[in-house]
Amino acid sequence: MNENSNKLWAGRASKSADSRVNDFNSSIRFDFRLVFEDIRGSIAHATMLGRQGIIPSDEAAALVDELEVIAGEVARGELLPPADAEDIHTFIEAELTSRLGDAGKRLHTARSRNDQVATDFKLWVREECLNLRAEFAGLVKALISIAEKNLDTVMPGYTHLQRAQPVTFGHYMLAYVQMFLRDCSRLTDTYERTDGCPLGSGALAGTTHPIDRELTASLLGFSAPCENSMDGVSDRDFALELLADLSIASVHMSRLAEEIILWSSTEFSFIELDDAFSTGSSIMPQKKNPDVAELVRGKTGRVFGDLMTLLTAMKGIPLAYNKDMQEDKEAVFDAVDTVRLGLSAFIPMCETMTVNAERMRSAAGKGFINATDCADYLAAKGVPFRDAYKAVGGIVKFCIENDKTLETMTLEEYRAVREEFDSDVYDAISLDRCVAGRSVYGGPAPAEAAKRLESAKLRLAEYAEVQA
Ligand code: ARG
């Protein structure tokens, strides 16, 4: 016996591992977070071992009971791992052995930490897919309710951040609703694909014991065991998918955050953040800063980094398990925590912001945002669109030089450019007409946007219903 004798793998080495190796190898400080998944996995495994007669059934029952006791102690904060524990699997097994003796030592029959950790982590990721989806559904709900109140709130739409064509604030919010609904749908896909129970894959090559993988899979809520034992222990696609989902969702949050930062500036003044969701400056008394939105934007890089961490860890490792894979957990935990924390402040920040409809409207009234409509007016009168476009370009130039707008051009001035212009041009270029006229499917016309809003509500309800 040597100093490694308290290690699960004691026996092979003739010399104890250097304490610095132990420190470096240990994952308990972060994988303790998988404690309940680890216990669930062990309960399923012990149950199966007992039913298959691989271990005595009374010992299996004792193991299940004691695992439940341990879960209770952990939940109440009564049981914590010692600082020198190697990982969550070692800790729970050592705890069982100290309480039950040989029964504890039999638990690991026909199992490896490789299939154990893959199972624990899959269980954790599956649950978080549904939790996060519900949290994003909360954001969708908040944005839908802002949209509902602002279907008539005309504002400028931009391309290249230059005023382009008029839209409504409701329509604008519904664009984000679509993005976040896709995020919910991606999390659903990841949840569904995070199936196939790794337990029973063993270290990599299954086991010679007569285990029942269907039973453990179903006890843990998977639809089936995974098909290949080597894939079972070396697959981390599910973690990568969750990180990719969260990275894309973070892009969406960051873009909305960026808009909110712009809109709350004095230059735009389209919205005002609630005092409870903004901060002041330590030196400039007039400041009201959009810190929440900025931090949401800023933390996006962490989530991308987490995805990159795991992609890089996985890209060059041969089958099956390699210790590199221990790096999967911190990356995923960090991304989940970062997105969750961001959402928890971002949603109420959105809910409490006030919309300055007059400012939006007056901004939409400037910058010749109705120039396309003016060209469309001519096109509807039979002028080829390209000619109409040129004519209106000339009108805009004339307006700029003479300090006019399309609304203040006289009919004579219009007619001097094209004789097709008539007095109905003023109605055609009015802001409300420009918006209402865009009643094409998916367009900003209030009546059309209201229909799309209803279908967004239906999709949202779908996500609220599908709960594990
Ligand atoms: N702490 C390890 C991890 O997170 C558990 C699996 C250890 N397996 C092994 N063969 N060393 O990946």
Side-chain angles (χ1 to χ4, degrees), residues 53 63 93 155 237 254 270 280 282 302 312 316 331 353 395 419 425 445:
L63 280 168
E93 192 182 321
M155 70 179 285
D237 289 1
S254 183
F270 284 0
S282 60
R302 285 173 71 131
T312 310
M353 70 187 182
I395 293 170
E419 61 180 17
V425 65

Side-chain angles (χ1 to χ4, degrees), residues 25 27 30-31 86-87 89 112-114 117 236 321-323 325-326 328-329:
N25 255 336
S27 53
F30 50 85
D31 68 14
E86 187 178 338
D87 58 25
H89 328 293
S112 156
R113 277 185 298 165
N114 298 350
V117 72
R236 291 295 181 272
Y321 179 85
N322 300 265
K323 190 76 169 192
M325 292 162 73
Q326 183 167 282
D328 57 1
K329 284 169 279 297

Side-chain angles (χ1 to χ4, degrees), residues 94-393:
E95 199 57 37
L96 282 169
T97 302
S98 82
R99 298 178 189 204
L100 301 177
D102 282 354
K105 293 194 229 160
R106 288 206 174 90
L107 176 63
H108 213 54
T109 315
R111 187 176 73 168
S112 156
R113 277 185 298 165
N114 298 350
D115 57 346
Q116 191 177 355
V117 72
T119 306
D120 292 1
F121 201 28
K122 252 186 169 174
L123 287 171
W124 192 91
V125 164
R126 288 198 103 192
E127 191 172 329
E128 286 300 352
C129 284
L130 297 183
N131 292 339
L132 287 161
R133 189 181 65 181
E135 287 155 51
F136 276 103
L139 176 57
V140 170
K141 196 166 169 234
L143 297 181
I144 284 181
S145 107
I146 299 170
E148 206 153 27
K149 293 180 204 117
N150 289 285
L151 289 178
D152 297 304
T153 308
V154 175
M155 70 179 285
Y158 300 82
T159 61
H160 313 272
L161 199 58
Q162 306 289 320
R163 287 176 186 151
Q165 290 174 345
V167 294
T168 69
F169 192 56
H171 189 60
Y172 215 124
M173 289 298 104
L174 288 175
Y176 280 98
V177 163
Q178 290 300 320
M179 299 182 215
F180 292 119
L181 281 173
R182 283 196 296 276
D183 293 322
C184 289
S185 135
R186 261 184 284 275
L187 287 164
T188 308
D189 291 348
T190 301
Y191 170 79
E192 281 167 5
R193 221 172 356 261
T194 304
D195 200 358
C197 182
L199 202 58
S201 298
L204 78 164
T207 176
T208 53
H209 292 281
I211 59 171
D212 182 349
R213 294 196 62 200
E214 273 81 16
L215 175 62
T216 42
S218 82
L219 287 174
L220 294 171
F222 292 101
S223 69
C226 60
E227 296 270 326
N228 180 292
S229 63
M230 297 184 78
D231 181 50
V233 292
S234 60
D235 165 38
R236 291 295 181 272
D237 289 1
F238 59 93
L240 286 171
E241 279 193 42
L242 178 57
L243 289 170
D245 297 348
L246 293 181
S247 293
I248 297 171
S250 296
V251 170
H252 299 153
M253 285 173 73
S254 183
R255 289 184 77 174
L256 179 52
E258 166 66 10
E259 310 245 41
I260 287 170
I261 293 161
L262 283 175
W263 292 338
S264 64
S265 68
T266 309
E267 283 70 14
F268 276 84
S269 295
F270 284 0
I271 56 144
E272 190 178 345
L273 294 176
D274 192 272
D275 283 353
F277 289 92
S278 31
T279 53
S281 153
S282 60
I283 175 169
M284 297 166 282
Q286 85 285 10
K287 289 293 284 294
K288 188 166 165 181
N289 295 329
D291 283 29
V292 170
E294 287 170 317
L295 259 184
V296 162
R297 188 178 59 182
K299 282 179 185 286
T300 305
R302 285 173 71 131
V303 182
F304 296 174
D306 292 325
L307 171 62
M308 213 42 67
T309 295
L310 190 55
L311 284 170
T312 310
M314 295 304 293
K315 80 172 179 64
I317 51 180
L319 297 184
Y321 179 85
N322 300 265
K323 190 76 169 192
D324 317 42
M325 292 162 73
Q326 183 167 282
E327 289 294 306
D328 57 1
K329 284 169 279 297
E330 282 172 293
V332 170
F333 293 158
D334 181 67
V336 168
D337 292 344
T338 300
V339 170
R340 171 163 294 140
L341 193 63
L343 278 173
S344 73
F346 194 63
I347 295 173
M349 183 202 70
C350 292
E351 283 170 336
T352 54
M353 70 187 182
T354 46
V355 175
N356 190 341
E358 289 93 78
R359 265 299 283 216
M360 289 187 182
R361 196 181 175 88
S362 86
K366 296 171 194 148
F368 304 100
I369 207 157
N370 45 4
T372 315
D373 301 85
C374 193
D376 283 341
Y377 167 87
L378 282 180
K381 299 240 166 182
V383 180
F385 182 76
R386 196 43 71 206
D387 294 339
Y389 171 95
K390 268 198 195 133
V392 176

